[in-house]
Amino acid sequence: MDGILQRTKGDKVIWTIVVFLSLVSLLAVYSATGSLAYREQGGHTEYYLFKQLSVLVMGLLIIYFAHRVNYTVYSRAAQIGFIISIPLLIYTLAFGSNLNEASRWIRLPVINLTFQTSDVAKLAIFMYVSRQLSKRQHVITDFKKGFLPIIIPVGIVCVLIMPANMSTALLLGASCMLLCFIGRVPIKFLLAMIGAGVGLILLMFAIAWITGIKMRTETWLKRIEHFTNNEDSEIPYQVQQANIAIAGGGLLGKGPGNSTQRNFLPHAYSDYIYATIIEEYGIFGAFLILMAYMLLLLRSIRIFRQCPYAFGAFLAVGLSVTLVIQALTNMAVNVGLFPVTGVTLPLVSMGGSSVIFTSFAIGIILSVSRNVDELEGKRIEQERIAKVMEQNMQVV
């Protein structure tokens, strides 16, 4: 154990955030899965506790091993990951497991496990964009040579994700746009791509309406309509239950395991886990979780500013931005500031593939941090040696 701790490097604050969110996840998932356990597991409430514990332990191991790898290796893996993600997304659209009228998952044979291919695509595209931004800084203001090679792969991935999961596609596109802005891409190029994205969405709605092809456009329209409608009768059931949970939480909450709305709130252990946390731990607990994600972003920005190499800097800030944007979106949906989406709370919501790929992303951020710390240590050591040599010369 001591050997593992000694070999654990990188930003200690980020490690602390990971442990904190993991503990929150265990408590929240155990509390929120009570009714699910009675329906699916014959009342064995500890089933989902141990399942989530095993996933989180696997996630911590992934973070550890990913952070021990030199982050430059991920630059070479970026292109491979992007190439692999394209056929995976196409296969998911055609043959993926259908849930809530959306094909987002594929089932692995033999082990019979499902995972969202969009998680693979998100991680791959951020590594790919970071690589391209670092390689094309000298031509980044050129539309054809600098911008198109970066944005075309992003567009392809977003288009393949959009039919089944528009919220994820929009968040991915927005995160990539923000990373491109940080990477000095001209604003006029980004505005042009935003316009192209809006046009594509309108085109999908038009195709669905003209051809009658069954898409999720009706679901998207209903969610937007319900969000903008102030009549109580039009508020979706899950939003009503989330509001009741938040109102019952107050400042300090009802206490761990004392949520009542978990029995009525759909997906209280995943999409609406933040509302469950507010009911049990109050506004104070909700604020701590929000600050944890904000602190993760701030520490990643610190890594970005200290990293001497462009790829590592873009990789750290890009991955942290997408995790924090996803977390803020989930929180906004839970408190009624955003239309209903299927976005989970990173590292807190119950899940398998989402926790695994989130852990991989955090491991990569810590890999960059470890490299920055090692370079800083070498610089300090060189300065110390130079100072000692200068003092010796003065003595002589």
Side-chain angles (χ1 to χ4, degrees), residues 373-383:
D373 290 346
E374 290 176 354
L375 290 175
E376 181 66 14
K378 290 178 181 179
R379 185 188 66 80
I380 294 174
E381 181 64 18
Q382 289 173 354
E383 289 181 354

Side-chain angles (χ1 to χ4, degrees), residues 4 8 14-15 17-20 22-23 26 53-67 347 355-356 359-360 362-363 366:
I4 293 178
T8 300
I14 294 180
W15 276 108
I17 292 170
V18 169
V19 173
F20 169 71
S22 298
L23 291 175
L26 279 179
L53 177 62
S54 63
V55 171
L56 290 171
V57 170
M58 184 184 301
L60 289 173
L61 291 175
I62 290 172
I63 293 175
Y64 174 78
F65 287 111
H67 105 287
L347 217 60
V355 173
I356 289 172
S359 300
F360 196 19
I362 294 174
L366 287 170

Side-chain angles (χ1 to χ4, degrees), residues 219-386:
T219 302
W220 304 333
L221 286 174
K222 285 181 180 178
R223 288 178 175 178
I224 295 173
E225 182 181 351
H226 290 158
F227 178 72
T228 56
N229 196 326
N230 294 323
E231 295 183 11
D232 292 340
S233 59
E234 296 296 330
I235 298 177
Y237 175 78
Q238 61 265 46
V239 176
Q240 294 178 7
Q241 299 305 316
N243 291 339
I244 296 172
I246 294 169
L251 182 63
L252 299 177
K254 297 179 177 179
N258 292 327
S259 169
T260 54
Q261 294 308 117
R262 63 188 176 186
N263 298 318
F264 307 98
L265 190 59
H267 305 291
Y269 43 84
S270 56
D271 297 358
Y272 278 91
I273 197 167
Y274 193 61
T276 306
I277 291 172
I278 295 176
E279 185 181 11
E280 294 189 350
Y281 300 95
I283 296 175
F284 178 74
F287 178 77
L288 286 181
I289 295 175
L290 174 62
M291 287 300 99
Y293 288 108
M294 291 296 99
L295 190 56
L296 170 63
L297 179 60
L298 290 175
R299 299 302 291 186
S300 298
I301 292 174
R302 177 177 175 270
I303 297 170
F304 167 79
R305 297 179 64 180
Q306 292 181 338
C307 186
Y309 303 109
F311 173 69
F314 290 136
L315 192 61
V317 75
L319 291 174
S320 64
V321 161
T322 186
L323 291 177
V324 172
I325 287 179
Q326 179 180 334
L328 292 177
T329 302
N330 175 274
M331 295 176 191
V333 170
N334 276 247
V335 299
L337 296 178
F338 206 75
V340 176
T341 66
V343 177
T344 57
L345 193 59
L347 217 60
V348 175
S349 295
M350 186 177 77
S353 63
S354 61
V355 173
I356 289 172
F357 287 104
T358 298
S359 300
F360 196 19
I362 294 174
I364 295 174
I365 296 172
L366 287 170
S367 173
V368 179
S369 174
R370 180 178 66 86
N371 185 270
V372 169
D373 290 346
E374 290 176 354
L375 290 175
E376 181 66 14
K378 290 178 181 179
R379 185 188 66 80
I380 294 174
E381 181 64 18
Q382 289 173 354
E383 289 181 354
R384 187 189 68 80
I385 294 173

Side-chain angles (χ1 to χ4, degrees), residues 162 166 195-209 217 220:
M162 189 178 295
M166 175 173 277
V198 172
L200 178 62
I201 294 173
L202 294 176
L203 178 62
M204 288 186 63
F205 278 99
I207 292 174
W209 182 70
T217 51
W220 304 333

